[in-house]
Amino acid sequence: MDGILPLWKPKGLTSHDCVIKIRKMFQTKKVGHTGTLDPDVEGVLPICIGKATKIVPFLTDTKKTYSAKLKLGVATDTEDASGNPIEEKSVEVMPEQQHIEDVMRQFIGEINQIPPMYSAVKVKGKRLYEYARENQYVERPVRRVRIDEIQLLSTPNEQEHSIAFRVVCSKGTYIRTLCVDIGKALGYPAHMLTLVREATGAFSNKNAVTFATIEEAILKKQEATLLYPIQMGLTHLDVWNVDSETAKKVLYGQKLPNNIQLRTDPFVIMHQNRVLAIYQSHEKQAGYIKPVRVFSR
């Protein structure tokens, strides 16, 4: 059984917890997730099964869409609602909506982020959350991320001092940190109240399935119908459709002359509507392309 399961991850489970459950439900060890979601976060978590596990890093490297809510007036050590307050400032009057929108627009494009201390980013062989739990402070690396879209979802909440917004961003973007940075730009300490991942690549809340749906499908022996083909996880990459002779060379993992013009590198090679491989430019031999992943018959 090969394909992509667009799981709607519930709150309370880690991404790895979901992988373990899917392994048992689909009775296979070849299962991998495509981008960690914190236990407190729910949303779209594409799960790759069987041969689809080969595209995990490529599906992970796609745009994400989130809906989030930030709270002004309080900063926490984890940058979200689960943490302990570390800074407070009274919000007498909420910033005007136009001002909030102007500030948010400043974050569109490529921006620098410093990941939270409570995160899985590695520094000197240890994850930042391990340092945080030991009350050790380490210098965190600045990361370059991209914000493609950001918009308010509703009128700012005067009673809760909260701001709900939607953001489309690159992989590796910390929405917790974005909430903190927006708060700073508005003149207040802030933290993230809630977060929902609405989409990853071609998968969204419109085609995601819950564990209850999966269990029902398994009882009917219809779980295979929940899986999407591998190419659905590669829609962000260009496609080169090849003839039968070239297809044989691709399946043998041969390097090929680079006589095509595509917008993405790596890219997908297909034959008769089937994904054969993912290729990229050969870094040592100019004018050639080489395989990154090959999908056997």
Side-chain angles (χ1 to χ4, degrees), residues 226-253:
L226 302 178
L227 302 184
Y228 284 79
I230 290 172
Q231 52 263 44
M232 272 286 286
L234 301 171
T235 55
H236 59 297
L237 301 181
D238 273 358
V239 175
W240 180 27
N241 288 291
V242 299
D243 55 29
S244 297
E245 184 178 343
T246 306
K248 291 178 182 177
K249 295 178 181 178
V250 169
L251 288 173
Y252 279 120

Side-chain angles (χ1 to χ4, degrees), residues 9 13-20 33 35-39 45 47:
K9 187 193 87 66
L13 294 180
T14 67
S15 298
H16 187 60
D17 290 337
C18 294
V19 167
I20 293 172
H33 70 76
T36 302
L37 282 179
D38 292 338
L45 179 67
I47 303 287

Side-chain angles (χ1 to χ4, degrees), residues 5 30 51 56 73 92 103 147 154 176 214 219 221 239 244 262 284 286:
L5 179 73
K30 294 187 73 175
K51 291 179 183 177
V56 164
E92 302 296 339
V103 165
I147 306 296
S154 61
R176 284 181 283 161
I214 299 169
L219 288 174
K221 297 185 178 180
V239 175
S244 297
L262 298 172
K284 295 182 180 178

Side-chain angles (χ1 to χ4, degrees), residues 145 247 275:
V145 298
V275 175

Side-chain angles (χ1 to χ4, degrees), residues 52-249:
T53 54
K54 288 188 175 184
I55 72 161
V56 164
F58 302 97
L59 180 47
T60 302
D61 191 21
T62 54
K63 289 182 182 179
K64 312 291 192 293
T65 301
Y66 296 93
S67 57
K69 186 185 288 187
L70 69 84
K71 180 178 176 64
L72 295 178
V74 180
T76 70
D77 54 1
T78 59
E79 300 187 353
D80 62 17
S82 69
N84 299 310
I86 55 173
E87 184 184 357
E88 297 188 34
K89 179 181 177 181
S90 178
V91 182
E92 302 296 339
V93 180
M94 280 289 285
E96 293 183 2
Q97 182 168 326
Q98 185 61 56
H99 179 46
I100 294 171
E101 290 175 340
D102 291 342
V103 165
M104 284 185 164
R105 275 195 290 271
Q106 297 172 13
F107 290 87
I108 295 176
E110 290 197 352
I111 63 171
N112 289 329
Q113 277 196 335
I114 298 176
M117 278 299 297
Y118 283 90
S119 66
V121 174
K122 278 190 174 182
V123 174
K124 297 179 182 178
K126 285 177 64 174
R127 300 196 182 277
L128 284 175
Y129 65 75
E130 294 178 301
Y131 289 109
R133 289 169 181 170
E134 296 168 0
N135 291 320
Q136 294 182 33
Y137 178 82
V138 292
E139 190 170 341
R140 292 165 283 172
V142 176
R143 294 154 62 104
R144 196 77 172 159
V145 298
R146 181 173 182 82
I147 306 296
D148 290 300
E149 300 174 32
I150 187 167
Q151 63 180 108
L152 281 178
L153 288 177
S154 61
T155 304
N157 188 309
E158 294 279 352
Q159 287 72 39
E160 196 178 46
H161 300 145
S162 64
I163 300 169
F165 64 98
R166 177 176 289 113
V167 59
V168 180
C169 57
S170 66
K171 77 163 187 176
T173 304
Y174 278 95
I175 308 302
R176 284 181 283 161
T177 302
L178 180 62
C179 290
V180 171
D181 291 343
I182 290 172
K184 285 180 181 176
L186 291 169
Y188 293 95
H191 67 272
M192 184 181 77
L193 271 181
T194 61
L195 181 66
V196 175
R197 184 193 280 168
E198 297 183 347
T200 295
F203 301 101
S204 72
N205 49 6
K206 295 178 182 178
N207 54 16
V209 295
T210 64
F211 277 116
T213 301
I214 299 169
E215 289 168 357
E216 184 178 342
I218 289 173
L219 288 174
K220 297 177 180 178
K221 297 185 178 180
Q222 296 177 345
E223 61 267 32
T225 64
L226 302 178
L227 302 184
Y228 284 79
I230 290 172
Q231 52 263 44
M232 272 286 286
L234 301 171
T235 55
H236 59 297
L237 301 181
D238 273 358
V239 175
W240 180 27
N241 288 291
V242 299
D243 55 29
S244 297
E245 184 178 343
T246 306
K248 291 178 182 177
K249 295 178 181 178

